[in-house]
Amino acid sequence: MPLVESVLRRTVYLVMLMESRGALQRLVKMATVSPWICEELTQYPVLLDEFLSMDFGLPQRKDLEDSLRQQLMRIEIDQVEDQMRVLRLFKKSNALAVAASDVLAESHLMKVSDALTDIAEVCVQATLNLAYQAIAQRHGYPVNSLGQRCSLDAQAFAVIGYGKLGGIELGYGSDLDLVFIHDFQEQTETDGRKGISGAEFAIRVAQKFMSLMTTQTLDGRVYEIDTRLRPSGEAGMLVTSLKAYEQYQQKSAWLWEHQALVRARSIAGEKSLCEQFERVRCQILTQVRDENQVREEVLKMRQKMKDHLGSSAEQKKHGIFHLKQDAGGIVDIEFMAQYAVLAWGGAHPDLAHYSDNVRILQDAAKTGCLSLEDAEALTQAYLRERAMSHRLALANQPLQVSAADWHETRAVVCRLWQRLIDPSAIIALDFE
C-alpha cells in the first residue's frame, strides 16, 4: 500500500503500469518476494522508470562505467548537488536491477555479488575522480614521491576495499570498508594559486570523496562508508602514504589487522600505486608465522565477536541460529580462510593471491593445506549460508533462522573449526 500511495502522486507511473500488464505482474512478484525492493521504490518512485523497462539481466561492468561516465560528463565540476543526485540514482537503480535479476531470473549468488561489487567499484572510481578534480581545480596538483607533477591520469592516490567489498562479496545494503593511500611528497606544495601541502591535498580529496558518497540528500546516500580499518583506526589519519602504511603493517599492526588485510584489494585510483599496494599486501600476508600463535589470536578474536554479536543464551534456547555470527556460521568459515592464509602463506605464497573466501579455500586445497573434500564442504556451506543471507536481506529480515533447519551445515563447519582452529571445542547439538 505505501508503494501504491507513492505511485498515485505520479499519474504517469499509473499509466505505465496500466498499459504494461507484464510490468505490473513483475512489480507484484517483486513486491511479494522482496519488501526491500518495495521500500526502495516507495521511497524513490523516480526509480520506477528504469525498473519497469529493465530486461532483468545482471548489469555488465563496461556498461556501468559507460553509463555513469556519460551521465557525469553532462554536469559541470562545481554542480555538486547534481553530481550527488546522479551517483545516488545510478547506484540505487542498478542495485534494483541486480535484485530483480536475483528474484526473477534466479541469478547465481556469486554473479549477484560480482554485480553488486562492480556497481560499488564504478561508483568509488567515479567519485574519486570528481573529488580529485574538484580539489585540484582549487589548489593545483601535488608532486608524487618521484618528484613528478600529478594529474588526473596520474593521481598518486588509491582507494583500498576491505571486508565484503574487498572480498567481492557485497550484499544488498552493505556498507563499504575503505582505506585511502597516497604517494605524494607530503611537504611539497601544490602548483595552484592557493597552494597547499601534499599531505593536506590528500586529506581534502578523501574528505571530498566522503562528502559526495555519504551526505544525506533527498535521494539518500550512495553508500555508508567505514574507514576504521585504516592504520591506527579512528585515532589515525584519514589518508596514509603507502610508505607509512607499509611500515605500520610490518611493525605495529595486530594480527587481527593482518586478518582484515586478507580480504583487502585495491579498487580505484592510479594503477601503479594499486600494484604497489598489492605487493605490500602479499609481503605482509606471506610472512612466516607461528601456527600456534595464529590459531590462538584467531580464536581469541572469534570468541570476542561471538560474545558481542552472536545469539544470546535465550535466543539459542528458542532454537535461533544467527547465520553470520553463531558457531558454524559465515564468520567461522571466513576466519578459517584467513587462518589458512596467515598460518600457511609463508610456505605457500599463492594463498595470498586472492581476497575472496571461495578462491582462498580452493587454493588451500591446491597446495595440499586442506583436503579437497574439506575445502569443498566449507565452500558449499559458505555459499548456502550467504545465499540465505541475500534472501533475508531482500525480505528485510534479520540474519536469524531456525537452528534445526541448519543443523547439518553447521555440523560440517564446526567439525572443521575443531580440527583447524580449536581442538578443545565441544560440538554439541545446540552448538553452544
Side-chain angles (χ1 to χ4, degrees):
M1 286 310 297
L3 176 57
V4 171
E5 288 170 2
S6 179
V7 171
L8 282 175
R9 294 195 290 271
R10 295 163 178 80
T11 52
V12 63
Y13 297 138
L14 279 179
V15 172
M16 285 166 65
L17 289 168
M18 289 165 67
E19 290 180 349
S20 174
R21 185 168 179 79
L24 180 58
Q25 286 174 336
R26 287 198 300 271
L27 183 60
V28 169
K29 180 172 181 181
M30 297 296 292
T32 305
V33 173
S34 175
W36 177 80
I37 292 174
C38 215
E39 280 186 15
E40 286 288 291
L41 292 172
T42 301
Q43 204 165 356
Y44 311 106
V46 66
L47 297 172
L48 266 171
D49 265 337
E50 288 188 51
F51 183 79
L52 294 175
S53 59
M54 285 174 186
D55 60 6
F56 301 105
L58 288 170
Q60 300 301 302
R61 176 65 175 255
K62 189 174 186 312
D63 295 338
L64 290 168
E65 291 171 339
D66 292 344
S67 170
L68 186 53
R69 184 174 61 250
Q70 287 166 15
Q71 290 179 60
L72 289 171
M73 277 174 58
R74 296 193 283 266
I75 301 171
E76 296 296 325
I77 192 63
D78 58 351
Q79 293 178 319
V80 178
E81 287 184 11
D82 292 338
Q83 292 169 353
M84 287 183 172
R85 180 169 174 78
V86 164
L87 287 166
R88 281 150 181 73
L89 295 182
F90 171 84
K91 183 261 178 162
K92 289 180 185 299
S93 62
N94 282 292
L96 276 177
V98 173
S101 177
D102 194 353
V103 170
L104 297 177
E106 297 182 356
S107 296
H108 189 275
L109 164 71
M110 292 181 75
K111 290 189 180 299
V112 167
S113 279
D114 286 351
L116 291 172
T117 303
D118 281 343
I119 293 165
E121 288 185 26
V122 169
C123 284
V124 167
Q125 182 65 70
T127 305
L128 174 59
N129 291 342
L130 289 172
Y132 199 100
Q133 191 176 350
I135 304 304
Q137 190 176 65
R138 184 175 178 85
H139 299 288
Y141 289 96
V143 169
N144 70 16
S145 62
L146 298 174
Q148 300 161 334
R149 189 62 64 180
C150 296
S151 67
L152 285 178
D153 296 322
Q155 295 176 343
F157 196 100
V159 183
I160 311 304
Y162 274 72
K164 288 183 180 178
L165 176 60
I168 322 174
E169 295 158 355
L170 279 188
Y172 304 104
S174 293
D175 61 1
L176 306 184
D177 293 303
L178 301 181
V179 168
F180 304 105
I181 59 173
H182 72 81
D183 191 32
F184 304 144
Q185 289 184 4
E186 294 189 332
Q187 303 307 316
T188 305
E189 288 213 343
T190 57
D191 62 355
R193 280 187 303 166
K194 296 181 179 177
I196 54 177
S197 69
E200 181 66 20
F201 184 92
I203 290 168
R204 292 197 185 189
V205 169
Q207 289 172 335
K208 182 69 173 175
F209 176 96
M210 296 285 286
S211 173
L212 287 168
M213 276 279 201
T214 64
T215 298
Q216 181 70 40
T217 72
L218 290 173
D219 302 306
R221 294 183 174 90
V222 189
Y223 289 96
E224 296 279 359
I225 308 286
D226 191 336
T227 61
R228 288 175 296 178
L229 285 170
R230 64 186 186 269
S232 301
E234 289 179 287
M237 298 289 286
L238 184 58
V239 195
T240 315
S241 71
L242 179 66
K243 187 177 179 182
Y245 179 90
E246 182 178 4
Q247 287 176 342
Y248 177 84
Q249 291 290 348
Q250 286 179 341
K251 297 176 181 176
S252 307
W254 297 82
L255 189 95
W256 68 262
E257 291 177 280
H258 288 174
Q259 263 188 266
L261 192 61
V262 171
R263 303 183 75 199
R265 63 191 176 90
S266 51
I267 59 166
E270 187 178 344
K271 187 179 177 184
S272 62
L273 183 56
C274 290
E275 288 170 351
Q276 288 178 65
F277 166 79
E278 295 298 341
R279 282 197 292 274
V280 169
R281 175 184 173 273
C282 274
Q283 284 169 10
I284 300 299
L285 295 180
T286 55
Q287 292 173 359
V288 176
R289 295 178 175 85
D290 180 271
E291 259 187 71
N292 290 327
Q293 193 179 349
V294 174
R295 189 179 292 119
E296 190 179 313
E297 290 295 320
V298 167
L299 187 56
K300 199 186 299 179
M301 177 55 67
R302 183 67 187 103
Q303 193 56 51
K304 273 186 189 174
M305 291 182 72
K306 278 182 191 168
D307 293 344
H308 287 92
L309 301 168
S311 297
S312 66
E314 188 67 21
Q315 289 171 323
K316 288 177 184 174
K317 197 165 72 176
H318 287 89
I320 289 173
F321 164 48
H322 193 291
L323 206 56
K324 182 176 179 181
Q325 297 294 347
D326 285 346
I330 292 170
V331 176
D332 272 3
I333 303 171
E334 291 175 347
F335 270 45
M336 281 189 268
Q338 290 158 20
Y339 170 81
V341 175
L342 296 180
W344 306 325
H348 304 281
D350 284 352
L351 286 173
H353 187 62
Y354 293 113
S355 60
D356 62 287
N357 294 301
V358 170
R359 285 186 293 187
I360 289 171
L361 292 171
Q362 288 172 348
D363 283 346
K366 284 178 191 171
T367 57
C369 296
L370 281 180
S371 70
L372 276 170
E373 293 78 13
D374 287 350
E376 182 62 20
L378 279 178
T379 299
Q380 290 308 314
Y382 183 67
L383 293 176
R384 276 197 297 273
E385 290 178 346
R386 272 194 55 221
M388 175 56 79
S389 75
H390 272 234
R391 287 197 289 276
L392 291 170
L394 284 173
N396 262 355
Q397 295 295 316
L399 296 181
Q400 293 173 324
V401 292
S402 163
D405 296 340
W406 288 85
H407 186 277
E408 194 176 321
T409 300
R410 294 180 73 193
V412 168
V413 176
C414 285
R415 274 195 293 272
L416 285 166
W417 177 267
Q418 184 187 50
R419 196 185 311 162
L420 282 179
I421 311 288
D422 188 11
S424 66
I426 299 169
I427 301 178
L429 288 178
D430 57 3
F431 294 95
E432 289 182 7

